[in-house]
Amino acid sequence: MELHDVWFVLIAVLWTGYFFLEGFDFGVGVLTKLLARDRAEKRVLINTIGPVWDGNEVWLLTAGGATFAAFPEWYATLFSGFYLPLLVILVCLIVRGVAFEYRVKRPEEKWQRNWETAIFWTSLIPAFLWGVAFGNIVHGVKIDRDLEYVGSVWDLLNPYALLGGLVTLTLFTFHGTVFTALKTVGEIRERARTLASRVGLVTAVLALAFLLWTQVHNGDAKSLIALVVAVAALIAALAANHAGREGWAFALSGVTIVAAVAMLFLTLFPNVMPSTLNADWSLTVTNASSSAYTLKIMTWLAVIATPVVLLYQGWTYWVFRKRIGTQHLADAAH
C-alpha cells in the first residue's frame, strides 16, 4: 500500500472519529429544544457535554490539517468549491463555542436563554451541512480539466446531498439522545429513551434510503458489507434502547456512524472528489496528494502524536463518566 493510500485511510479514520464524538454533542445541542422542559434541564444537557465538546473538535482540526498536508489539491478544490457551506459551519462552530463559555457569565434569564438558543441552532445547522458536504463529495461535483470546481452553490443542494444532510441530522440527534439517556438520571433519562425510539425510527428510514442510493450509485461488495453493518447496528441500538441498556445503545449508535462513514469512503476510493463532467478529471489519491517525502514525515508525526491525543481524551471521558441530573445543579449552587 502506497503512503497516499495510507493517508486516505487515516483521514477517513479522523472524520469517523469526529462524527462519532461531535455527533453526540451536536445531538445534545439539538435536544436543548426538543427534550428539555425548563432551563434546569437545559443546564443538565449542556453539562453532559461541557467537559468534552471542545476536545471532540480536535478531530475536525486534525482532519482538516491532515487533508491540507496530505492532499493539498483535494483541500484547495474542496474549500474553494464548498466555500459558503463550510464558512457557515465555521461560523456556527465559533458561535457555539462562545455560547458554551458566555452562557453563564451573566445571571439574567434573557442572556442565558439567548445563548442556549444559539447552542441549538449552531448544533443543528452543522449537523445538517456536514451531510450535505459529504453527500456531494461522494456523489461527485462539477470539476473541470484543471481540477477546479466550476459549479455553483445551488448545485450542491441536490436531492442526494440534501438526503445526506437529513441523515446526519437525525443520526446525530439519535446518537445524542442515547448519550443523554446514558449520562442522566431521573425523568429526563426516561424521556430521552422515549425520544430516542422515535428519532431512531426516522433515522433508520432515512439512512436506509441514503445508503442504498449510495450503494446503487457506486458501491461494491465491501461497501455492501458496511451498509449491512450500519443498518444492523442501528436496529440493534433501537432494541438496546428499548430494553434500557443505554451503554449498549450508545455503543451501537456509534457503530452505525462508523460503518456509515466507512461505506462512504469505500465508495469514494480511489477518488477523493469525483468529477461529474468527466471521470478523467476526478481528483484521486494519486493526483491530489503531496510528495512521498511529505507523507513520510507526516506518518512519523502521526505515530508519535496520535497515542497522546487518544490517552488524554480517553482520560477526560473517564473522569467525567458519572451521571448527572437536576439535583446535582442544586447541590452545586448550594
Side-chain angles (χ1 to χ4, degrees):
M1 181 180 287
E2 299 290 337
L3 278 179
H4 51 66
D5 297 331
V6 171
W7 273 98
F8 179 86
V9 174
L10 292 177
I11 288 172
V13 170
L14 290 171
W15 281 110
T16 302
Y18 173 67
F19 288 142
F20 181 97
L21 296 172
E22 189 86 308
F24 72 74
D25 69 46
F26 279 149
V28 171
V30 172
L31 293 180
T32 57
K33 290 287 188 182
L34 300 184
L35 183 65
R37 291 181 175 175
D38 52 38
R39 295 201 58 253
E41 291 189 349
K42 288 184 179 180
R43 288 177 61 193
V44 170
L45 289 174
I46 293 171
N47 286 351
T48 62
I49 59 173
V52 299
W53 68 268
D54 49 353
N56 295 343
E57 291 188 355
V58 169
W59 290 79
L60 172 62
L61 298 175
T62 308
T67 303
F68 171 76
F71 299 100
E73 192 69 49
W74 183 13
Y75 183 93
T77 304
L78 175 64
F79 278 78
S80 61
F82 293 22
Y83 180 81
L84 183 58
L86 292 178
L87 177 62
V88 172
I89 291 174
L90 177 61
V91 171
C92 284
L93 294 180
I94 293 172
V95 173
R96 188 168 179 264
V98 172
F100 281 127
E101 300 296 334
Y102 275 60
R103 180 181 59 88
V104 295
K105 296 299 184 183
R106 289 170 55 178
E108 293 89 345
E109 181 178 350
K110 183 178 180 180
W111 170 272
Q112 296 191 6
R113 186 174 63 249
N114 288 341
W115 284 118
E116 288 163 358
T117 300
I119 289 172
F120 168 76
W121 285 109
T122 56
S123 299
L124 184 149
I125 293 172
F128 175 75
L129 288 180
W130 279 127
V132 174
F134 270 82
N136 279 290
I137 291 172
V138 172
H139 205 252
V141 291
K142 295 180 179 178
I143 297 176
D144 65 10
R145 66 173 65 250
D146 296 321
L147 306 182
E148 295 180 359
Y149 178 72
V150 292
S152 68
V153 67
W154 302 112
D155 293 321
L156 303 178
L157 302 179
N158 56 79
Y160 177 82
L162 293 175
L163 178 58
L166 292 176
V167 170
T168 52
L169 175 58
T170 55
L171 182 55
F172 291 168
T173 303
F174 174 70
H175 197 41
T177 308
V178 294
F179 177 79
T180 299
L182 177 64
K183 288 288 294 178
T184 57
V185 295
E187 185 183 352
I188 192 171
R189 174 188 177 189
E190 298 302 320
R191 282 190 279 114
R193 285 175 51 195
T194 301
L195 182 60
S197 297
R198 298 171 182 172
V199 175
L201 289 175
V202 176
T203 303
V205 173
L206 293 175
L208 181 60
F210 178 74
L211 295 179
L212 284 175
W213 191 342
T214 305
Q215 179 66 24
V216 170
H217 179 256
N218 198 30
D220 56 16
K222 293 179 182 178
S223 61
L224 180 59
I225 293 173
L227 185 156
V228 172
V229 171
V231 174
L234 183 55
I235 294 172
L238 283 167
N241 176 73
H242 182 73
R245 303 294 298 273
E246 290 102 342
W248 278 105
F250 178 71
L252 288 165
S253 69
V255 172
T256 302
I257 292 175
V258 171
V261 176
M263 179 187 177
L264 295 183
F265 277 93
L266 284 170
T267 58
L268 188 60
F269 185 81
N271 295 321
V272 293
M273 283 188 75
S275 172
T276 57
L277 300 179
N278 189 324
D280 293 335
W281 300 343
S282 297
L283 290 172
T284 68
V285 293
T286 303
N287 65 20
S289 69
S290 294
S291 66
Y293 182 70
T294 300
L295 296 177
K296 183 177 181 179
I297 294 175
M298 290 176 60
T299 303
W300 281 110
L301 291 175
V303 168
I304 297 171
T306 302
V308 177
V309 174
L310 293 176
L311 283 172
Y312 85 69
Q313 194 159 26
W315 174 251
T316 301
Y317 279 94
W318 174 256
V319 170
F320 295 99
R321 66 190 181 278
K322 294 183 178 180
R323 295 176 182 267
I324 61 174
T326 53
Q327 67 269 31
H328 298 106
L329 299 178
D331 291 340
H334 178 71

